[in-house]
Amino acid sequence: MRTLEEQARERREKLDKQHSVGTNVKKIARIMWWTGFIGAIVIVPTALVYTGKADKWMSMATQESVRLSAAFGMTVQNIEVSGREKTDPNALLAAIGQKPGTPIITFDVDAARERIEELSWIRSATVERQLPDTLIVSVVERKPLAIWQTEGRDHVLIDGDGEQLQNYELGDYLDLPVLVGDDAPKSAAEMLTTLQSIPHLYEQITGAQRIGHRRWNIQLANGMFIRLPEENMEKAWQRLEVLDREHSILDRDVLIVDLRLPDRTFVRLTPGAAEQRRNPPKKEGAV
């Protein structure tokens, strides 16, 4: 066991060591290093701003970082596109706007997305950088809904948002219904969605006319017209299905089925059927 004198001597030696010249020099060096570091990150930028050279310095640093990134292979070498079917590939590449071999870190993905979404067939797009050398482009294209006959009797392909599409062959979409009316494109989606709820009736539709910016007249392949109401269009369309199921009304010589009133249905016969009803053929032997 150490004596009290030995313990006191060890404490004195320890204190002498802490206050030795070598120890003090190390402390001074450490303080100077931190002072220099803080000066580098605070004083130097402050001096650059004060002398008006900060912008120039930042520009030079940015240019050098771009150059170094290109030197290390961070340039556009691949452009991967998914979701494209109808969009012109050349127009899409032009909208992306980045040529192979240019630095990838300078590519503005938001600006590219905006340019891509300006193409008529593109509903939405996402653009991402995949370092070191690839751009990832994903697009969602618009779905053709109908053909709109304009006042000038031109035929324009439209989607569910009423947007007019471009760069297509009209002959590829002749199975779609033809819409008439100046506000038909903006109002068509709700109407056609309702009519699609009964597939076997929807398959017989060839066109639809917008009436008074309020309601629709539907034309079927057999030449029959269905007058739908402004409200409760779905219930009226379901009523037509019941009439056809119970009375085969779509197979009769009917020109117009008027479903505008909720509690009754009006039917107009074709001219030939109406004439036959007015003047029925005489029975054989009748005078």
Side-chain angles (χ1 to χ4, degrees), residues 177-181 184 191-192 195 205-210 216-219:
V178 177
L179 309 180
V180 177
M191 177 268 295
L192 291 175
L195 271 52
I205 296 174
T206 59
Q209 182 179 12
R210 184 73 168 162
W216 294 91
N217 285 347
I218 308 301
Q219 184 174 8

Side-chain angles (χ1 to χ4, degrees), residues 181-192:
D182 57 358
D183 70 329
K186 295 297 183 183
S187 307
E190 180 183 2
M191 177 268 295
L192 291 175

Side-chain angles (χ1 to χ4, degrees), residues 65 177 241 248:
S65 65
E241 182 190 27
S248 300

Side-chain angles (χ1 to χ4, degrees), residues 195-204 237 241:
L195 271 52
Q196 287 170 350
S197 64
I198 305 178
H200 74 275
L201 291 183
Y202 179 78
E203 291 173 356
Q204 301 184 53
W237 192 241
E241 182 190 27

Side-chain angles (χ1 to χ4, degrees), residues 38-53:
I38 293 172
I41 64 174
V42 175
I43 297 175
V44 172
T46 302
L48 288 172
V49 172
Y50 182 77
T51 58
K53 296 182 178 180

Side-chain angles (χ1 to χ4, degrees), residues 44-170:
V44 172
T46 302
L48 288 172
V49 172
Y50 182 77
T51 58
K53 296 182 178 180
D55 291 341
K56 182 178 180 180
W57 184 84
M58 288 298 297
S59 177
M60 292 174 59
T62 300
Q63 293 176 8
E64 183 63 14
S65 65
V66 171
R67 187 190 68 79
L68 289 174
S69 70
F72 282 102
M74 297 178 66
T75 59
V76 176
Q77 299 298 328
N78 305 297
I79 300 177
E80 298 181 2
V81 178
S82 62
R84 188 205 70 82
E85 293 184 8
K86 301 296 183 181
T87 305
D88 183 348
N90 293 326
L92 181 56
L93 287 175
I96 294 172
Q98 191 78 342
K99 297 180 179 179
T102 56
I104 195 170
I105 64 173
T106 62
F107 181 70
D108 189 335
V109 294
D110 292 328
R113 175 184 54 78
E114 292 176 359
R115 291 193 300 269
I116 293 170
E117 290 181 345
E118 290 177 356
L119 300 176
S120 72
W121 277 92
I122 303 299
R123 184 181 181 86
S124 62
T126 59
V127 182
E128 300 175 343
R129 283 186 294 257
Q130 182 174 289
L131 300 180
D133 59 3
T134 302
L135 297 178
I136 306 296
V137 180
S138 300
V139 299
V140 176
E141 292 188 327
R142 298 183 180 277
K143 302 298 182 183
L145 181 71
I147 298 172
W148 176 42
Q149 180 178 298
T150 67
E151 293 183 358
R153 302 193 68 82
D154 292 327
H155 291 81
V156 180
L157 192 65
I158 63 170
D159 76 336
D161 295 327
E163 295 293 329
Q164 300 183 29
L165 304 178
Q166 301 173 5
N167 302 321
Y168 58 86
E169 292 292 336
L170 188 62

